[in-house]
């Protein structure tokens, strides 16, 4: 290979952005088309620097908008090579149209989404509003809780997306600033280990195979559209989770690091549990341990795969708990939060009478403190003791002014 | 090495093997298919094509059929240029890495889009592609209206044109704005080649397309595409309308090299009055009412002024 390998220490101190950039380098992406936006910018900056220093070989196309970034990625992926980019917030919102195009054309693009609030009011800090905006777009969505996850899940993302039985684009989410700009020790793979895990890119229906011309992005009306969408949905629902599990297992063999589709913490005998994503998972785990010292049997369920939503795994994880708190880091704007709804959907026909409450927290980068979570677990235990939900179904945590709660 | 087709006459041209099938859903008399065929017939090289959402796209790739015997992609209304730019970037990357399946091929990257997808919604994407210097050609099928959605005005619609969103009525003569000068705007990016072409002047067009394929860098081609449905003329008269547009100098044929050097490539022997061009189309019918006749005069003055400007630019050699 013409590019230089990078000598990494076993543990490097990286933030989430640089961890993602390093994984992208080790996967040796052929084309990156990108547009900068806070807080994801350092990912593509890192990639550009790797290119400038000959640690990767490929094309970096610095386009004029996020919409064009994904448009360029789609053209590049259809041409038959490994493609990735990164974005956040408004940029993600601008991309949304093309996200549907990418998945509908079954193009294995990897998108690092550093989660951030959506305007207005303008806010550069982390929440999951942008993540939720993409949840019906036909992409696989993986969620990182820390820089280590951001690094590891990028390998998983390429491996699953590029599988010829899957051929669906994949996002890797991490929390803006809290993960993306917080440096931690990250256990590394060598360049060869990383690249060999994802393997060489195997094109399918590529536009640069001139012996087999292909038409991408056709028009279908009522006669075929349903079949295409239904097939895509079916593949997401039936093929993707087993593929992710296989990739997790292979990755564990390689790195010793174990990932699960749903991350259970102290759930074996838990009476109360919170379900959450991103950086709040680690905080919740710490508080759950403290709650156990106080006699409350607390557990945490972390969502690792947001799409396809792991209904069965969620049902299994929550089958024995008595009260559940669903934590949504997004303003639901006129409905219970997404996690509340999805968990309610998963449990509706399950053999459980668990009490479910929804909590909205951390909008626009607001902290979720251990005190908040202590109160939350205590409240869930109060529900268990009372045998009913004693507080409103939907509450806002840590918002100033009069307490906001609904339903 | 790039291979250009040598075509001597129209008969040879019409029977030349092409990669755009006659089987499509375009209206009878639509100039789009003629222009596309003329562009594709200019080269024997492999092609990577895109079409932005529009008549050409919806009429040529209706699943499970395709009219394209070449690599082709459609994403959205605005981003066909960037799709092709992405494919071009991938070609470069794979060539450098030695991973091309057919490394001896020299593909041409072309995006087709209507005036709406180029002058309006796709403007930013095209500008980005031009500025970044992708080795692609963007061809506008300029029928001066959103024909695919049923005839709304675009920023290419000329003054006085009656469209569904700029209709002529009791107190209106239709479109109020002048047509956007896209060729100048694109040439101002400093791109190696931009040109106006017309399907009736097919030798001129093929020459320009071949020039465009030969240069290294982005190329912008604006092709007048008479629209039988929205310009309101008989389908048999497509070439007649195309002749009127070039011979009245409403749609002058010229090229701009390296963003500044302008060459007029067609000088009609007998210049047709603009009135004749307008009279041949239903969309300008109302201009012939007494109260709007001054607009026809203004049309002629505008066309004359533009022709003089083009001539001055050509003479100046700057």
């Amino acid at each position: 290979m013409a590019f230089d390998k990078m000598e990494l220490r076993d543990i490097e101190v990286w933030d989430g952005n640089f961890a993602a950039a390093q994984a992208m380098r080790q996967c040796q992406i052929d084309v990156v088309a990108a547009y900068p936006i806070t807080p994801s910018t350092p990912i593509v900056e890192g990639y550009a620097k790797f290119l400038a220093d000959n640690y990767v070989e490929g094309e970096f196309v610095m386009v004029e908008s996020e919409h064009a970034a994904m448009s360029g990625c789609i053209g590049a992926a259809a041409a038959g090579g490994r493609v990735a980019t990164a974005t956040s917030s408004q940029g993600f919102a601008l991309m949304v149209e093309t996200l549907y195009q990418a998945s509908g054309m079954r193009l294995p693009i990897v998108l690092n989404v550093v989660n951030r609030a959506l305007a207005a009011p303008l806010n550069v800090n982390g929440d999951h509003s942008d993540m939720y905006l993409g949840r019906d777009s036909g992409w696989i969505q993986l969620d990182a809780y820390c820089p280590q996850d951001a690094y590891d899940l990028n390998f998983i993302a390429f491996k699953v997306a590029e599988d010829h039985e899957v051929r669906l684009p994949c996002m890797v989410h991490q929390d803006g600033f809290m993960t993306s700009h917080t440096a931690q020790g990250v256990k590394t793979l060598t360049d060869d280990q990383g690249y060999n895990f994802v393997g060489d890119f195997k094109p399918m229906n590529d536009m640069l195979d001139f012996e087999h011309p292909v038409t991408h992005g056709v028009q279908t009306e009522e006669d075929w559209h349903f079949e295409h969408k239904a097939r895509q949905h079916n593949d997401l629902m039936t093929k993707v989770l087993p593929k992710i599990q296989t990739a997790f297992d292979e990755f564990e063999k390689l790195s010793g690091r174990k990932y699960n589709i749903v991350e259970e913490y102290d759930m074996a005998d838990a009476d109360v549990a919170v379900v959450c994503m991103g950086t709040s998972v680690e905080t919740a785990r710490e508080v759950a341990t403290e709650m156990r010292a106080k006699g409350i049997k607390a557990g945490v369920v972390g969502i690792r795969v947001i799409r396809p939503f792991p209904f069965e795994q969620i049902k299994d994880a929550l089958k024995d708990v008595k009260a559940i708190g669903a934590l949504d880091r997004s303003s639901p704007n006129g409905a219970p939060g997404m996690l509340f709804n999805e968990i309610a959907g998963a449990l509706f026909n399950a053999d459980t009478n668990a009490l479910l409450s929804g909590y909205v927290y951390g909008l626009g980068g607001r902290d979720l403190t251990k005190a908040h979570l202590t109160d939350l677990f205590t409240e869930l235990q109060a529900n268990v003791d009372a045998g009913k939900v004693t507080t409103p179904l939907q509450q806002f945590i840590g918002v100033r002014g009069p307490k906001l709660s609904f339903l | 090495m790039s291979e250009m087709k040598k075509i001597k006459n129209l008969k040879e041209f019409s029977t030349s093997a092409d990669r755009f099938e006659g089987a499509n859903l375009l209206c009878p008399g639509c100039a789009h298919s003629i222009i596309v065929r003329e562009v594709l017939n200019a080269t024997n090289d492999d092609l990577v094509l895109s079409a932005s959402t529009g008549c050409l796209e919806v009429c040529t790739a209706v699943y499970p059929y395709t009219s394209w015997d070449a690599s082709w992609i459609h994403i959205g209304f605005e981003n066909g240029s960037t799709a092709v730019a992405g494919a071009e970037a991938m070609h470069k990357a794979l060539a450098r890495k030695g991973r091309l399946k057919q490394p001896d091929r020299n593909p041409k990257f072309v995006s087709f889009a209507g005036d709406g997808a180029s002058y309006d919604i796709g403007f930013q994407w095209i500008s980005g592609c031009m500025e970044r210097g992708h080795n692609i050609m963007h061809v506008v099928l300029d029928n001066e209206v959103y024909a695919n959605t049923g005839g709304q005005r675009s920023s290419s619609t000329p003054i006085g044109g009656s469209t569904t969103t700029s209709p002529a009525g009791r107190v209106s003569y239709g479109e109020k704005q002048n047509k956007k000068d896209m060729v100048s705007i694109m040439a101002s990016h400093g791109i190696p080649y931009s040109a106006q072409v017309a399907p009736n002047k097919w030798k001129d067009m093929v020459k320009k397309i071949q020039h465009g394929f030969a240069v290294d860098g982005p190329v912008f081609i604006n092709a007048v595409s008479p629209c039988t449905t929205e310009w309101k003329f008989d389908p048999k008269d497509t070439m007649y309308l195309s002749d009127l547009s070039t011979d009245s100098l409403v749609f002058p044929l010229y090229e701009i090299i390296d963003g500044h050097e302008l060459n007029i490539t067609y000088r009609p022997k007998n210049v047709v009055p603009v009135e004749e061009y307008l009279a041949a189309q239903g969309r300008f019918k109302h201009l012939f009412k007494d109260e709007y006749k001054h607009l026809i005069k203004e049309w002629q003055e505008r066309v004359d002024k533009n022709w003089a400007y083009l001539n001055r630019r050509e003479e100046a050699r700057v």
Side-chain angles (χ1 to χ4, degrees):
Chain A
M1 283 189 274
F3 57 89
D4 298 323
K5 298 228 172 114
M6 195 178 260
E7 292 284 330
L8 301 177
R9 284 164 294 193
D10 292 345
I11 297 180
E12 294 274 352
V13 179
W14 291 340
D15 61 24
N17 276 334
F18 199 63
Q22 282 283 1
M24 282 164 65
R25 177 186 67 77
Q26 293 187 317
C27 294
Q28 289 296 323
I29 298 157
D30 298 308
V31 172
V32 172
Y35 190 80
I37 182 166
T38 302
S40 70
T41 317
I43 294 180
V44 291
E45 284 175 346
Y47 197 78
K49 189 74 169 84
F50 292 143
L51 201 64
D53 290 339
N54 198 43
Y55 289 119
V56 279
E57 201 182 18
E59 282 292 309
F60 181 60
V61 190
M62 196 63 197
V63 290
E64 81 294 338
S65 73
E66 288 90 347
H67 192 292
M70 189 47 67
S71 304
C73 285
I74 289 170
R82 186 162 289 153
V83 175
T85 188
T87 196
S88 295
S89 185
Q90 308 303 123
F92 185 84
L94 187 57
M95 265 185 195
V96 164
E97 184 201 18
T98 52
L99 297 179
Y100 283 78
Q101 314 275 14
S103 66
M105 281 190 248
R106 307 294 292 257
L107 298 171
I109 299 160
V110 170
L111 172 62
N112 274 281
V113 184
V114 180
N115 292 130
R116 172 186 144 184
L118 288 172
L122 188 64
N123 178 302
V124 297
N125 291 303
D127 74 27
H128 296 161
S129 304
D130 50 4
M131 176 199 283
Y132 287 11
L133 195 56
R135 70 186 195 263
D136 290 345
S137 63
W139 285 57
I140 301 162
Q141 289 178 276
L142 307 175
D143 191 37
Y145 309 156
C146 61
Q148 181 73 62
D149 297 357
Y151 177 72
D152 294 346
L153 291 182
N154 263 275
F155 295 101
I156 307 289
F158 283 108
K159 183 132 183 129
V160 173
E162 292 174 6
D163 189 306
H164 276 195
E165 286 178 47
V166 176
R167 289 182 297 114
L168 284 166
C170 184
M171 294 175 206
V172 178
H173 294 276
Q174 56 175 291
D175 278 358
F177 291 104
M178 280 162 280
T179 298
S180 67
H181 286 65
T182 303
Q184 294 182 350
V186 174
K187 292 178 192 155
T188 61
L189 301 174
T190 66
D191 285 6
D192 284 341
Q193 280 177 328
Y195 184 81
N196 292 336
F197 176 77
V198 293
D200 293 337
F201 184 88
K202 292 180 190 65
M204 186 171 180
N205 299 329
D206 52 310
M207 290 204 295
L208 297 181
D209 181 358
F210 301 110
E211 296 299 322
H212 305 94
V214 282
T215 295
H216 283 271
V218 291
Q219 160 109 347
T220 65
E221 294 303 335
E222 69 281 7
D223 51 351
W224 279 108
H225 191 80
F226 200 169
E227 280 71 18
H228 282 105
K229 289 290 182 185
R231 179 59 57 191
Q232 183 180 332
H233 182 60
N234 176 72
D235 287 357
L236 260 167
M237 295 297 277
T238 61
K239 290 183 182 171
V240 172
L241 288 179
K243 289 283 182 189
I244 292 174
Q245 190 56 58
T246 307
F248 280 165
D249 294 345
E250 280 178 44
F251 193 78
E252 188 189 356
K253 266 184 220 142
L254 173 69
S255 67
R257 294 192 286 282
K258 185 171 174 58
Y259 288 92
N260 293 302
I261 287 166
V262 165
E263 301 283 0
E264 296 183 35
Y265 180 85
D266 268 357
M267 286 301 296
D269 63 341
D271 287 336
V272 294
V274 297
V275 186
C276 53
M277 293 186 283
T279 42
S280 56
V281 175
E282 289 193 341
T283 316
R285 285 173 181 169
E286 205 167 303
V287 176
T289 304
E290 290 174 11
M291 297 314 288
R292 285 194 173 249
K294 293 178 192 169
I296 293 177
K297 287 204 241 170
V300 179
V301 174
I303 308 284
R304 183 66 77 189
V305 185
I306 304 150
R307 282 292 182 275
F309 195 75
F311 286 93
E312 287 303 323
Q313 289 84 347
I314 285 285
K315 213 172 10 179
D316 192 50
L318 297 172
K319 64 181 187 300
D320 296 326
V321 291
K322 294 168 183 156
I324 304 159
L327 267 64
D328 279 288
R329 189 170 210 145
S330 160
S331 174
N333 274 331
M338 183 199 80
L339 265 184
F340 178 94
N341 277 333
E342 309 262 29
I343 291 162
L347 297 185
F348 189 75
N349 285 328
D351 187 20
T352 171
N353 293 315
L355 303 163
L356 178 62
S357 316
Y359 297 88
V360 175
Y361 75 101
L363 302 188
R366 178 68 52 87
D367 283 339
L368 177 72
T369 65
K370 286 169 70 176
H372 290 142
L373 283 158
T374 304
D375 290 350
L376 204 156
F377 275 117
T378 307
E379 194 171 293
L380 292 178
Q381 185 60 49
N383 290 346
V384 172
D385 296 340
K388 61 177 183 181
V389 178
T390 57
T391 48
L393 269 182
Q394 189 180 24
Q395 298 179 63
F396 281 57
I397 299 176
V399 66
R400 275 199 297 273
K403 191 177 177 184
L404 296 178
S405 58
F406 310 97
L407 305 173
Chain B
M1 185 62 195
S2 131
E3 193 189 335
M4 295 303 169
K5 281 193 178 175
K6 302 230 174 356
I7 300 163
K8 288 185 192 113
N9 57 44
L10 198 54
K11 190 179 173 193
E12 204 180 304
F13 180 84
S14 66
T15 55
S16 168
D18 59 58
R19 288 164 279 188
F20 179 67
E21 303 295 336
N24 59 57
L25 302 172
L26 289 161
C27 299
C30 177
H32 279 14
S33 59
I34 305 166
I35 295 163
V36 168
R37 191 162 287 120
E38 288 177 21
V39 170
L40 301 193
N41 266 355
T43 181
N44 282 325
D45 281 335
D46 295 300
L47 294 161
V48 178
L49 307 169
S50 80
S52 293
T53 308
C55 294
L56 182 71
E57 174 261 324
V58 301
C59 294
T60 63
V62 184
Y63 187 86
Y65 306 106
T66 181
S67 306
W68 303 90
D69 191 14
S71 301
W72 185 93
I73 188 168
H74 157 253
I75 309 181
F77 197 2
E78 61 288 308
N79 49 4
S81 54
T82 311
V84 156
E88 182 252 9
M90 182 58 77
H91 182 262
K92 259 193 221 159
L94 297 185
R96 195 173 308 130
K97 294 181 176 193
R99 278 175 34 212
L100 287 173
K101 282 182 185 164
Q102 296 114 21
D104 51 328
R105 308 288 185 90
N106 181 32
K108 302 287 180 265
F109 296 85
V110 185
S111 71
F112 290 104
D115 48 288
S118 303
Y119 286 58
D120 296 341
I121 193 171
F123 187 79
Q124 168 191 311
W125 286 257
I126 300 167
S127 175
C129 286
M130 299 289 138
E131 169 270 319
R132 293 192 300 274
H134 293 283
N135 204 4
I136 66 169
M137 177 184 288
H138 185 84
V139 180
V140 184
L141 305 162
D142 186 2
N143 56 18
E144 303 184 332
V145 71
Y146 289 99
N148 186 45
T149 43
Q152 299 79 27
R153 63 84 66 184
S154 79
S155 63
S156 173
T157 303
I159 285 182
S162 180
T163 73
T164 58
T165 50
S166 64
R170 285 193 292 133
V171 295
S172 174
Y173 56 80
E175 174 64 17
K176 301 289 187 298
Q177 274 76 41
N178 213 343
K179 175 174 170 138
K180 191 190 269 183
D181 183 359
M182 261 306 259
V183 179
S184 290
I185 295 168
M186 288 301 140
S188 296
H189 287 72
I191 56 175
Y193 194 67
S194 47
Q196 289 220 119
V197 299
N200 56 321
K201 299 296 170 195
W202 62 276
K203 279 189 176 170
D204 175 76
M205 189 193 298
V206 168
K207 216 170 124 188
K208 284 171 175 165
I209 300 297
Q210 290 186 339
H211 184 121
F213 282 152
V215 300
D216 188 22
V219 170
F220 182 82
I221 303 286
N222 202 47
V224 67
S225 185
C227 174
T228 170
T229 313
E230 301 303 335
W231 293 19
K232 302 189 184 354
F233 60 83
D234 199 314
K236 73 176 168 34
D237 291 335
T238 306
M239 280 301 141
Y240 172 57
L241 260 296
S242 194
D243 280 340
L244 285 177
S245 71
T246 52
D247 292 1
S248 65
L249 301 173
V250 167
F251 203 89
L253 301 184
Y254 60 95
E255 61 187 11
I256 303 176
I257 293 166
D258 292 334
H260 61 91
E261 188 188 326
L262 190 144
N263 300 313
I264 293 169
T265 59
Y266 172 63
R267 291 173 186 280
K269 281 195 191 89
N270 301 306
V271 175
V272 173
V274 171
E275 188 172 351
E276 212 173 300
Y277 168 76
L278 299 175
Q281 306 171 51
R283 64 172 170 160
F284 295 119
K285 199 170 147 195
H286 55 284
L287 296 185
F288 292 85
K289 288 180 189 163
D290 285 346
E291 67 262 39
Y292 294 140
K293 281 218 164 138
H294 66 282
L295 287 167
I296 298 178
K297 199 169 146 258
E298 284 169 28
W299 252 97
Q300 186 67 60
E301 284 166 9
R302 203 164 42 245
V303 167
D304 291 347
K305 216 167 139 186
N306 187 47
W307 184 241
Y309 165 74
L310 293 174
N311 276 280
R312 280 203 308 279
R313 272 193 69 175
E314 186 185 53
E315 279 162 29
R317 310 304 298 159
V318 288

